[in-house]
Amino acid sequence: MQALSLHMSKTAMGASQKDFESAMNQVKLLKKDPGNEVKLKLYALYKQTTEGPCNTPRPGVFDLINKAKWDAWNALGNLPKETARQNYVDLVSDLSSSDSSSQVKPEADRKQPGYETLVVTSEDSITKIMMNRPAKKNALTIQMYREIMLALEAASKDDSTIIVLTGNGDYYSSGNDLMNFMNIPPGEMEKEAKNGAILLRDFVGCFIDFPKPLVAVINGPAIGISVTILGLFDLVYASDRATFHTPFTHLGQSPEGCSSYTFPKIMGQAKAAEMLMFGKKLTAREACAQGLVTEVFPDSTFQKEVWTRLKAYSKLPRNTLHISKQSIRNLEKEKLHAVNAEENSVLQESPPKCGQIILTQVIRNHYLK
Ligand SMILES: CCC/C=C/C(=O)SCCNC(=O)CCNC(=O)[C@H](O)C(C)(C)COP(=O)([O-])OP(=O)([O-])OC[C@H]1O[C@@H](n2cnc3c(N)ncnc32)[C@H](O)[C@@H]1OP(=O)([O-])[O-]
């Protein structure tokens, strides 16, 4: 009824302040998350209606969320307040209509819009974040790092019980996109290295702080940072086709993702060194024997077995699971953030080809302190 009255305002003389206030209340009642793009649009129209054109300074480049909000508001330029109010009311009206029709099929797979490098869906109390660059083996571009951070933030607040990260295609992920370091203008290297390190620190920080059970569904080979952050997941299920490879020394890089701390803790110093320093590639069964992987499944039945398992887990009491996760993580959170910061400062400073010496130092630092 309320949606209907809001719809009528489209054709009337323009939305009133009362329509606007009703629409604001209506937004709070939406059952379905409209996705980041729509939320940004709503935010921008709200700000334009209540404050007029954006005239505040643009947030810093790594304040991702506030920057996205500012960009959306600023994009409205000099749109008059009355038009912004009308557009807000119309948008909420459309959302309310599709929200009520979507409730007919509450279990339907809901693909969330607004991501270019990911497919994010929510079903059966599980939010699945799927890296979606199969032609590039799901290499992580700067955009993909940012979208994963945004998807994790949204998932931390949605009504899901469990969050899954997985890959589309034959690879889980080939790690950092090597093009991220290409085409840097002369003289910009230092600045770009610093920016990259900050992005990486924030990316890993999201996994450290993530409040709900986090599951990696490793559908194929995993390389680099897609492997190192696995020590921050709660469960790691792997296809027997998966491999785990951290060729940092070969690339003149040092470890990240808190692996200089989590890997020796998980698998012992000697096995961690073989992987992180000497780039030994592990099969899924070896990774499982060393404690990095929870369980390995035959590739032919991998998806079916894993999702059956996860659907059963997702029916467990949500709050209890989340409290347990946080109790376990809180014991280590401070240490993990310190490790993340240290790994990043080393990455920023490390000259290429010194990777092996740096790796030894970083790993020793954590365990000799
Ligand atoms: C500082 C941050 C810390 C992070 C550290 C790390 O993650 S370190 C780890 C860093 N990661 C690495 O060092 C891995 C580097 N990659 C490889 O070693 C191999 O590509 C492979 C073993 C993943 C797959 O071999 P294969 O013979 O089965 O397939 P293929 O080779 O034909 O690839 C298909 C397409 O995907 C493309 N592509 C793939 N990966 C990447 C990437 N990472 N980047 C960009 N592109 C990538 C590839 O160019 C090709 O594109 P095209 O030509 O079709 O337009």
Side-chain angles (χ1 to χ4, degrees), residues 163-282:
I163 315 303
V164 169
L165 184 64
T166 191
N168 187 15
D170 59 344
Y171 262 65
Y172 174 69
S173 169
S174 60
N176 188 52
D177 190 305
L178 300 174
M179 296 305 285
N180 289 343
F181 300 126
M182 305 299 254
N183 305 324
I184 297 176
E188 297 277 298
M189 198 45 147
E190 205 176 311
K191 191 176 112 215
E192 287 303 318
K194 196 168 173 203
N195 289 344
I198 294 169
L199 177 66
L200 189 63
R201 185 200 61 201
D202 292 349
F203 178 74
V204 174
C206 283
F207 287 86
I208 297 173
D209 288 333
F210 195 71
K212 296 181 179 181
L214 197 53
V215 181
V217 171
I218 312 282
N219 52 297
I223 304 179
I225 188 162
S226 72
V227 177
T228 53
I229 53 167
L230 292 179
L232 301 172
F233 282 70
D234 302 293
L235 297 171
V236 179
Y237 291 139
S239 149
D240 61 4
R241 215 173 47 75
T243 51
F244 298 82
H245 193 199
T246 49
F248 296 126
T249 304
H250 303 77
L251 294 168
Q253 281 179 12
S254 47
E256 74 300 278
C258 293
S259 59
S260 60
Y261 175 68
T262 56
F263 278 30
K265 199 162 178 256
I266 290 168
M267 59 183 79
Q269 177 73 25
K271 296 288 187 191
E274 201 173 26
M275 234 187 133
L276 292 176
M277 291 166 58
F278 297 98
K280 184 180 179 198
K281 190 200 280 188
L282 301 188

Side-chain angles (χ1 to χ4, degrees), residues 317-335:
R318 199 168 88 111
N319 287 345
T320 316
L321 266 180
H322 296 176
I323 289 166
S324 301
K325 153 98 194 208
Q326 283 171 40
S327 316
I328 296 169
R329 177 50 51 89
N330 285 346
L331 294 172
E332 289 266 71
K333 215 179 235 189
E334 211 178 308
K335 175 74 185 171

